[in-house]
């Protein structure tokens, strides 16, 4: 039996990875370990919770003894580590929680896996190339911010299926696997630190590790503090859309199921000790993206075109707001043959439909503690 521990599986990306692995690999036992913070939601996994090859364990990755116990109890041979504090705005308010979970939590998980793997024989890889691996999921934000050298946008030099019809690039540079780390927010600093610990465990102890750095994800089950689900929900409820600064910052968007497919591919075929950047060459200026969301939601709700544009509200900029992220994912494409499956306009349509069709999921979140958090974040704006 191949026993895989997926941490953070009750969160946004983790739930897509758990679903993919549970359905695609009935011979693997998938153990989903999650603390169920405000961002963890078992409703994200309702469709697979009764599958025989799935187990949920509630635990905190920063608890070293618990990590030792769980890794031993389930005889874990592969780890996909997604558990993290993930929201930049929260990291600005409370950096210590980010250091605790993202840095100390990753370290505890690494140490527990090292101790267990040192004490047991590596299993022979069954057919299909399954092996011992600590696979750490990171972000492009560790590379820092790129300059907006082409504020109006120029035709993008590279494209994939995910690229939008408009296909723009807003600067000359892209993040490569070799780009020097230069994190700016407490979130990205904590992720950078955890990436360094993972690589140090390979270099020092020979732990089999892989790190991947992905661009912004979007799709179903994303917690509505992040731009896209927050704005879809606010449009539905006629609430203001708080655009930071002038809305000129650029993000590179990838559909979450394409990230999950990349994780599956890299988990099985990626080179040990290597790094892969994941992204779809799909850059959007925030304000342009927001207009696409407004247009799509209005159309699907039967509102006249432009109806919800009046909700756009420019607010004080995020502290240290990174200007542009843009991933160069050509290494992953050429070495492992990964390609996004979805064109951006299709992905946005699918995403908006999902949130409108799953209003109960959204209402269950926004009617509780989150609503209070949200009011607190924005009441002075
Ligand atoms: P998320 O906030 O939606 O989910 C995080 C999950 O981790 C939640 O289920 C939460 O309960 C769990 N968790 C938090 N602290 C924990 C702890 N101490 N112990 C155990 N579980 C804990 O995050 P996400 O957007 O799904 O991101 C997942 C991973 O992917 C993160 O490591 C993030 O840095 C990375 N990433 C995210 C994006 C993105 O656009 N969302 C892009 C690139 C990389
Ligand atoms: P976010 O979804 O928080 O992702 P990240 O900061 O990790 O890239 O934000 C995406 C972009 O949208 C970012 O430039 C900040 C901006 N933004 C707003 O303008 N208003 C908002 O309310 C939020 C949450 C984000």
């Amino acid at each position: 039996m191949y026993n895989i521990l997926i941490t953070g599986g009750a969160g946004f990306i983790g739930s897509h990875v758990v679903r993919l692995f549970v359905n695609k690999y009935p011979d693997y036992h998938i153990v989903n370990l999650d603390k169920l913070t405000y961002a963890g939601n078992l409703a994200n996994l309702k469709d697979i919770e009764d599958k025989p090859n799935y187990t949920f364990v509630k635990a905190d990755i920063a608890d070293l003894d618990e990590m030792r116990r769980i890794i031993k109890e389930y005889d874990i041979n592969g780890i996909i580590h997604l558990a993290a504090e993930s929201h930049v705005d929260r990291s600005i308010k409370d950096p210590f929680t980010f250091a605790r979970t993202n840095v100390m939590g990753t370290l505890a998980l690494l140490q527990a896996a090292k101790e267990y793997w040192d004490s047991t024989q590596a299993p022979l890889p069954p057919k299909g190339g399954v092996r011992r691996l600590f696979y750490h999921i990171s972000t492009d934000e560790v590379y820092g911010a790129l300059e907006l050298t082409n504020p109006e946008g120029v035709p993008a030099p590279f494209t994939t299926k995910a690229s939008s019809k408009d296909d723009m690039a807003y600067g000359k540079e892209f993040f490569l696997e070799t780009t020097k780390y230069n994190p700016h927010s407490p979130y990205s600093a904590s992720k950078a630190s955890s990436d360094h610990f993972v690589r140090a465990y390979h270099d020092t102890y020979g732990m089999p590790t892989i790190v991947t750095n992905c661009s912004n994800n979007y799709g179903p089950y994303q917690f509505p503090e992040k731009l896209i689900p927050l704005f879809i929900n606010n449009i539905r409820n006629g609430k203001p859309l708080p655009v930071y600064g002038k809305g000129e910052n650029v993000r590179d968007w990838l559909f979450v199921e394409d990230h999950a497919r990349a994780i599956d591919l890299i988990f099985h075929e990626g080179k040990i000790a290597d790094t892969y950047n994941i992204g779809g060459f799909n850059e959007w200026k925030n304000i342009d993206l927001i207009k696409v969301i407004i247009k799509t939601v209005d159309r699907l709700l039967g509102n006249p075109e432009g109806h919800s544009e009046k909700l756009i509200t420019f607010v004080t900029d995020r502290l240290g707001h990174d200007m542009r992220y843009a991933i160069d994912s050509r290494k992953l494409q050429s070495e492992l043959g990964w390609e996004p499956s979805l064109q951006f306009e299709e992905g946005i349509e699918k995403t908006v439909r999902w949130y409108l069709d799953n209003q109960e999921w959204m209402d269950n979140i926004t009617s509780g503690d989150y609503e209070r958090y949200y009011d607190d974040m924005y009441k002075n704006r």
Side-chain angles (χ1 to χ4, degrees), residues 87-88 141 216 225-227 230-231 242-244 249 251 286 318 321 325 378:
H87 189 42
V88 175
E141 304 191 24
N216 284 62
E225 64 187 350
K226 305 278 167 63
L227 180 75
L230 175 70
F231 277 33
V243 181
Y244 298 164
N249 303 67
R251 296 293 182 265
N286 287 345
R318 174 185 277 172
H321 196 172
Y325 302 143
Y378 296 109

Side-chain angles (χ1 to χ4, degrees), residues 345-363:
E345 280 77 358
E346 293 170 287
I348 281 291
E349 170 100 17
K350 209 169 154 171
T351 301
V352 171
R353 274 188 196 281
W354 188 87
Y355 285 102
L356 296 180
D357 289 348
N358 289 276
Q359 295 187 6
E360 206 185 324
W361 179 90
M362 181 67 88
D363 292 342

Side-chain angles (χ1 to χ4, degrees), residues 160-225:
T160 64
K161 193 162 183 199
S163 309
S164 100
K165 281 186 195 126
D166 295 333
D167 244 359
M168 290 294 188
Y170 292 91
K172 293 192 194 90
E173 285 182 290
F174 294 80
F175 295 135
L176 287 160
E177 286 81 359
T178 49
T179 300
K180 199 169 153 237
Y181 275 32
N182 186 20
H184 299 302
S185 73
Y187 164 64
S188 54
S190 69
K191 290 296 290 186
S193 172
S194 66
D195 296 8
H196 290 318
F197 270 108
V198 173
R199 294 190 177 108
Y201 265 63
H202 171 268
D203 296 349
T204 308
Y205 308 112
M207 159 133 359
T209 58
I210 292 181
V211 177
T212 57
N213 300 81
C214 189
S215 60
N216 284 62
N217 284 216
Y218 70 97
Y221 299 112
Q222 187 168 30
F223 194 84
E225 64 187 350

Side-chain angles (χ1 to χ4, degrees), residues 1 32 125 166 193 252 257 273 297 333:
M1 193 75 173
N32 171 13
D166 295 333
S193 172
D252 183 358
E257 288 176 15
V297 179
Q333 291 172 40

